[in-house]
Amino acid sequence: MNAASVRCQGGHVKRKEKAAETETALMEAAKRLFATRGYLNTKITDITAEAGRAAGSFYNHFSGKEELLEALLADLAEAGDATASTEGHNPDFSDPAAIRFHVAGYWTFYRENAATMLALRQASLVNEEFARKLNQFTREQLSDIAGHLAYVRNLPAKPEASLTLLAATIDNFAQLRPELSDEEAIEALTRFIYRGLNGTDY
């Protein structure tokens, strides 16, 4: 390999690194703006300005806000997978400790990604295609814990309906942000879900 080839490869790597940095900067800027302005009120030029990038640079990475949001959705999926693989995972939802583990994981996940979660919901209200993608994402996330209900003797409804009720309870509670500490919120949700699934307190 000659010197010119080495220089060419080095330049290619640096361009890729710079492109990756710009993409990350745009996504992080979008998350900050979604938190303060909301998805619908955030323009692409707002994102590039917040990221400190040229206005046209956005389209080198994303075709529009929807595609950027899809990238954020993919990041959420990876974060969810990482949470599920955390040490101490227990799939037995007849065990309150297993429910608390999952509630605590989602509570932390939601708190860290609240602005993105809100943006996803806002986008789904105005874009049918994105609404379908978000629904598919949600279904995939729920399917990961569907087997956890097999440990529960008498579910309040069919497994899919019980799973939907469980997810809606946690998600809506997180959205309303009650005036509780994280520990209090997690304990309240754990007790509520355990009782709803198992028909008794612990």
Side-chain angles (χ1 to χ4, degrees), residues 105-117:
Y106 184 80
W107 189 260
T108 300
F109 169 84
Y110 190 96
R111 186 180 60 185
E112 293 174 350
N113 299 283
T116 302
M117 301 285 280

Side-chain angles (χ1 to χ4, degrees), residues 9 29 36 54 56 74 86 102 106-107 132 137 145 148 168 172 179 182 192 196 199 202:
Q9 286 191 358
T36 56
T86 303
H102 287 79
Y106 184 80
W107 189 260
R132 284 192 290 271
F137 166 79
I145 62 169
H148 297 32
N172 287 324
E179 294 183 3
D182 288 343
F192 190 85
Y202 59 84

Side-chain angles (χ1 to χ4, degrees), residues 21 23 31 48 51 60 88 90 109 113 118 120 125-126 132 137 147-148 158 168 175 179 182 189:
E21 289 175 2
E23 184 171 311
K31 286 193 288 187
T48 53
N60 293 328
N90 177 2
F109 169 84
N113 299 283
L118 177 58
L120 293 168
L125 293 175
V126 297
R132 284 192 290 271
F137 166 79
H148 297 32
K158 292 180 179 180
Q175 286 183 53
E179 294 183 3
D182 288 343
L189 276 170

Side-chain angles (χ1 to χ4, degrees), residues 2-57:
N2 59 37
S5 178
V6 171
R7 286 196 300 272
C8 182
Q9 286 191 358
H12 180 67
V13 170
K14 287 182 179 179
R15 285 194 297 273
K16 286 185 68 175
E17 290 177 349
K18 187 174 181 179
E21 289 175 2
T22 297
E23 184 171 311
T24 299
L26 291 169
M27 291 170 67
E28 291 301 318
K31 286 193 288 187
R32 291 193 297 272
L33 291 172
F34 293 161
T36 56
R37 302 184 184 184
Y39 173 79
L40 300 178
N41 293 324
T42 299
K43 300 176 182 178
I44 289 173
T45 51
D46 297 330
I47 296 171
T48 53
E50 175 71 16
R53 299 302 197 272
S57 67

Side-chain angles (χ1 to χ4, degrees), residues 69-163:
L69 206 52
E70 287 178 22
L72 293 177
L73 186 61
D75 282 355
L76 289 184
E78 288 185 13
D81 291 342
T83 299
S85 62
T86 303
E87 184 178 353
H89 177 262
N90 177 2
D92 183 359
F93 272 15
S94 68
D95 181 351
I99 293 176
R100 183 179 292 105
F101 174 89
H102 287 79
V103 167
Y106 184 80
W107 189 260
T108 300
F109 169 84
Y110 190 96
R111 186 180 60 185
E112 293 174 350
N113 299 283
T116 302
M117 301 285 280
L118 177 58
L120 293 168
R121 286 192 294 272
Q122 291 176 340
S124 69
L125 293 175
V126 297
N127 186 314
E128 290 185 8
E129 178 62 24
F130 192 81
R132 284 192 290 271
K133 290 178 181 179
L134 180 58
N135 183 61
Q136 179 62 28
F137 166 79
T138 302
R139 292 294 176 190
E140 289 172 357
Q141 296 302 302
L142 290 179
S143 69
D144 288 343
I145 62 169
H148 297 32
L149 300 185
Y151 296 87
V152 180
R153 283 190 171 185
N154 298 303
L155 290 172
K158 292 180 179 180
E160 185 177 356
S162 296
L163 195 60

